[in-house]
């Protein structure tokens, strides 16, 4: 059975700016010879693929779906077909939880709806597995932590990036002490004109739904850094602007299919070429008016596409971080400066040139030589992270201490770093994470 260790708000507050021991983690997997009963809320592409169809196909001996829910009645029906599930469907989460009484709820709704779903399940004594970001603002963060404490049930935040072999290699290289004590980090994430633009087509373009890319996207990166450094973020100073998408665009329309600017728009995207996306989104538009192929130049875009931050950590490390959403290539560059050397990693996810290795890593010791570090390739989604994460959740596959499942505290610290960055830009000041936890 899962073991819960929810922290009180005071403990969390006290630890927000100080080095703290990692908390105990829930243990997942089904008891031998039985299946765990899961319900899922949010039957968009992430829900039906990573947490739906793949789970039904690969974990049927240990997991069964007892209910699916989405506010869009057409999409929950399309999602059920995609998953190949036989369970009942719902448009009300409360009705689903009351009728199906699952062992655990998997939350894959739009980001801003995570908190309400998490709290509803915890209050019924149901364990929760939520997609990142855990929440989109500090009030939701407080509500989730308090609900977890009241319920005594565990919440897991599915930070799949930790489970990609390349990210684990960085963690273990730093743990080995090869570069001594880490003093600072340089971290740049590049989103290209394909993937980066996609955020501006969808609900992610609205702060109220995604918390901005500071929360929706950077939460992955902030969690990696917290975990790599084994430290808490303390304060953030940030800059950000919307330079290319939204009202900066030369023309606009509602969405790509009927757009009169197709011929001259470099961001034109034809959803009709993807049968799965047509079934999940275009054919469900009549229920909620949501366009999956929305125009990247809509006037209502209110997130940033160009972001920089300076983050300070409880162990004295500082990080300069950037994420840009219209790069000509996709990937990242991260470097750790240590008292005894430097670890540099360059990840090539997609680029208009040939690469021999997807990820290159170099370890250079002070007064020593540069050494290439062999980076294992991970097959499957998100650099191999998705499969490893699911094996731990659904099969309870054993993992060393540093690969334990991320909990609500990890979810909170990653989100709050992004919230602090957003607030820092809005208020033109340095924002401490501890202040966000004060009601
Ligand atoms: N870990 C990763 O690498 C990764 C990758 C992709 C997406 N995600 C996360 O998965 C989640 C879903 O992303 P997606 O791309 O599938 O989005 P999506 O828009 O395709 O799906 C979200 C679904 O939630 C539904 N929904 C919205 N509010 C709801 C509510 N209150 N109750 C029930 N349903 C509601 C929508 O109708 C939609 O069907 C997001 O939180 C996203 O951040 C994580």
């Amino acid at each position: 059975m899962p073991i819960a260790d929810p922290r009180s708000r005071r403990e969390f507050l006290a630890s927000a700016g100080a080095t703290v021991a990692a908390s105990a983690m829930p243990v997942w997997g089904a008891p031998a010879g039985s299946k765990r009963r899961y319900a899922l809320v949010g039957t968009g592409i992430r829900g039906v693929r990573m947490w739906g169809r793949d789970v039904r196909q690969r974990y049927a001996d240990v997991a069964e779906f007892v209910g699916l829910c989405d506010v869009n009645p057409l999409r929950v029906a399309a999602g059920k077909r995609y998953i190949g599930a036989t369970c009942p469907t719902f448009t009300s989460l409360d009705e689903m939880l009351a009728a199906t009484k699952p062992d655990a709820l998997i939350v894959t709704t739009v980001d801003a709806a995570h908190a309400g779903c998490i709290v509803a399940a915890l209050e019924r004594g149901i364990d929760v597995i939520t997609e990142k970001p855990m929440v989109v603002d500090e009030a939701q963060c407080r509500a989730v932590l308090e609900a977890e404490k009241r319920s005594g049930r565990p919440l897991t935040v599915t930070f799949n990036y930790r489970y990609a072999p390349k990210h684990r290699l960085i963690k273990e290289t730093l743990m080995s002490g090869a570069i001594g004590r880490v003093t600072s980090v340089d971290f740049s994430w590049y989103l290209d004109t394909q993937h980066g633009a996609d955020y501006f087509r969808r609900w992610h373009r609205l702060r109220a739904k995604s918390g901005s890319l500071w929360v929706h996207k950077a939460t992955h990166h902030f969690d990696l850094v917290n975990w790599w450094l084994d430290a808490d973020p303390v304060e953030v100073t940030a800059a950000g602007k919307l330079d290319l998408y939204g009202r900066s665009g030369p023309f606009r329309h509602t969405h790509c299919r009927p757009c009169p600017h197709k011929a001259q728009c470099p961001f034109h995207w034809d959803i009709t070429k993807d049968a799965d996306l047509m079934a999940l989104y275009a054919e469900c538009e009549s229920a909620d008016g949501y366009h999956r192929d929305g125009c990247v130049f809509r006037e209502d875009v209110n997130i940033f596409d160009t972001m920089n931050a300076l983050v300070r950590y409880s162990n004295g490390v500082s990080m300069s971080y950037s994420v840009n959403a219209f790069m000509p290539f996709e990937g990242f560059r991260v470097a750790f400066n240590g008292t005894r050397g430097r670890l540099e990693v360059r990840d090539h996810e997609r680029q208009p040139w040939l690469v021999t290795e997807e990820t290159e890593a170099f370890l250079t010791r002070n007064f020593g030589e540069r050494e290439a570090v062999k980076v294992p390739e991970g097959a499957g989604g998100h650099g191999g992270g998705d499969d490893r994460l699911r094996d731990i959740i659904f099969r309870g596959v054993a993992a060393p201490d540093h690969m334990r499942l991320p909990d609500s505290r990890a979810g909170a610290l990653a989100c709050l770093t992004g919230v602090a960055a957003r607030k820092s830009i809005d208020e033109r000041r340095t924002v401490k994470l501890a202040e966000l936890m004060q009601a």
Side-chain angles (χ1 to χ4, degrees):
M1 285 298 291
I3 302 161
D5 181 24
R7 286 160 179 257
S8 72
R9 231 177 98 205
R10 191 181 309 172
E11 285 169 318
F12 181 89
L13 259 173
S15 67
T19 305
V20 287
S23 56
M25 289 300 306
V27 176
W28 291 98
S34 70
K35 293 184 188 188
R36 212 146 190 263
R37 302 170 68 257
Y38 294 91
L40 182 144
V41 60
T43 56
I45 193 68
R46 185 69 175 165
V48 301
R49 194 173 279 172
M50 162 86 179
W51 299 109
R53 185 196 59 187
D54 291 3
V55 171
R56 192 187 65 75
Q57 290 177 349
R58 300 184 206 169
Y59 299 91
D61 56 321
V62 285
E64 70 176 308
F65 285 107
V66 296
L68 301 173
C69 173
D70 198 288
V71 284
N72 184 321
L74 299 178
R75 189 143 50 243
V76 76
K80 179 175 171 174
R81 285 192 295 276
Y82 186 95
I83 294 171
T86 52
C87 62
T89 59
F90 302 82
T91 53
S92 155
L93 176 64
D94 279 339
E95 279 175 25
M96 176 171 78
L97 296 179
T100 65
K101 299 186 175 48
D103 294 323
L105 176 70
I106 301 174
V107 179
T108 51
T109 63
V110 301
D111 301 345
H114 289 183
C117 298
I118 294 169
V119 171
L122 289 173
E123 286 187 339
R124 284 178 182 270
I126 297 165
D127 300 353
V128 181
I129 300 162
T130 185
E131 261 299 351
K132 49 52 61 178
M134 185 176 89
V135 295
V136 298
D137 63 33
E138 61 272 41
Q140 288 189 345
C141 188
R142 292 192 295 263
V144 163
L145 294 175
E146 281 163 12
E148 189 192 36
K149 181 171 186 294
R150 274 197 309 275
S151 74
R153 304 310 307 173
L155 167 60
T156 295
V157 183
T158 57
F159 283 123
N160 47 342
Y161 281 28
R162 289 191 190 192
Y163 295 88
K166 59 192 168 195
H167 297 142
R168 179 172 177 172
L169 177 87
I170 294 174
K171 171 76 179 165
E172 292 173 353
T173 304
L174 296 175
M175 283 170 74
S176 76
I179 62 164
R181 180 171 50 80
V182 177
T183 55
S184 65
V185 181
D186 303 320
F187 195 1
S188 304
W189 201 278
Y190 315 117
L191 297 169
D192 67 10
T193 46
Q194 184 178 325
H195 184 206
D198 217 26
Y199 293 114
F200 295 81
R201 292 189 181 103
R202 298 178 284 164
W203 49 263
H204 311 63
R205 75 187 188 283
L206 304 171
R207 275 182 187 216
K209 298 235 163 138
S210 68
S212 81
L213 294 180
W214 278 121
V215 175
H216 174 82
K217 190 68 198 169
T219 191
H220 272 306
H221 316 148
F222 294 143
D223 176 66
L224 283 176
V225 177
N226 297 342
W227 173 66
W228 280 332
L229 297 178
D230 198 11
D232 292 353
V234 175
E235 61 176 38
V236 184
T237 314
K241 52 188 176 163
L242 176 63
D243 240 335
L244 189 101
Y245 301 110
R247 59 194 162 290
S248 307
F251 41 68
R252 56 195 47 79
H253 197 66
T254 50
H255 55 301
C256 286
R257 272 161 291 157
C259 181
H261 308 289
K262 273 180 198 173
Q264 77 250 51
C265 182
F267 293 101
H268 172 70
W269 176 66
D270 188 359
I271 189 176
T272 64
K273 290 187 174 145
D274 188 320
D276 288 343
L277 296 186
M278 285 297 287
L280 268 184
Y281 301 101
E283 288 158 25
C284 303
E285 280 171 0
S286 63
D288 61 8
Y290 175 66
H291 294 137
R292 170 66 181 77
D293 59 343
C295 177
V296 299
F297 296 134
R298 270 174 293 184
E299 302 252 354
D300 64 356
V301 174
N302 63 0
I303 62 169
F304 313 97
D305 57 22
T306 304
M307 291 152 275
N308 301 79
L310 177 69
V311 186
R312 293 187 199 282
Y313 292 86
S314 53
N315 57 357
V317 172
S318 54
M319 169 175 72
S320 58
Y321 168 85
S322 68
V323 56
N324 288 284
F326 48 86
M327 296 295 96
F329 45 79
E330 178 98 2
F332 69 85
R333 185 186 294 278
V334 66
F336 299 84
N337 302 312
T339 50
R340 288 199 274 131
R342 175 173 160 101
L343 174 67
E344 296 172 278
V345 179
R346 172 71 169 95
D347 186 69
H348 304 275
E349 200 168 314
R350 183 170 42 237
Q351 52 285 314
W353 69 87
L354 282 176
V355 292
T356 45
E357 305 219 39
E358 187 178 299
T359 311
E360 293 173 291
F362 295 100
L363 177 63
T364 316
R365 292 191 172 79
N366 290 353
F367 316 107
E369 309 245 304
R370 183 166 104 145
E371 172 193 327
V373 181
K374 180 79 192 138
V375 182
E377 281 198 16
H382 296 95
D386 287 349
D387 287 343
R388 287 166 178 79
L389 175 66
R390 277 187 303 224
D391 279 350
I392 299 177
I393 290 178
F394 295 109
R395 297 206 180 282
V397 165
D401 203 44
H402 61 281
M403 299 308 297
R404 295 176 313 167
L405 290 172
D407 60 1
S408 61
R409 185 168 188 280
L413 288 173
C415 285
L416 290 176
T417 313
V419 172
R422 208 174 61 206
K423 207 177 180 69
S424 169
I425 297 168
D426 290 346
E427 300 179 8
R428 293 173 175 271
R429 67 182 178 89
T430 297
V431 174
K432 291 192 186 304
L433 269 74
E435 72 182 73
L436 300 176
M437 290 306 294
Q438 285 151 19

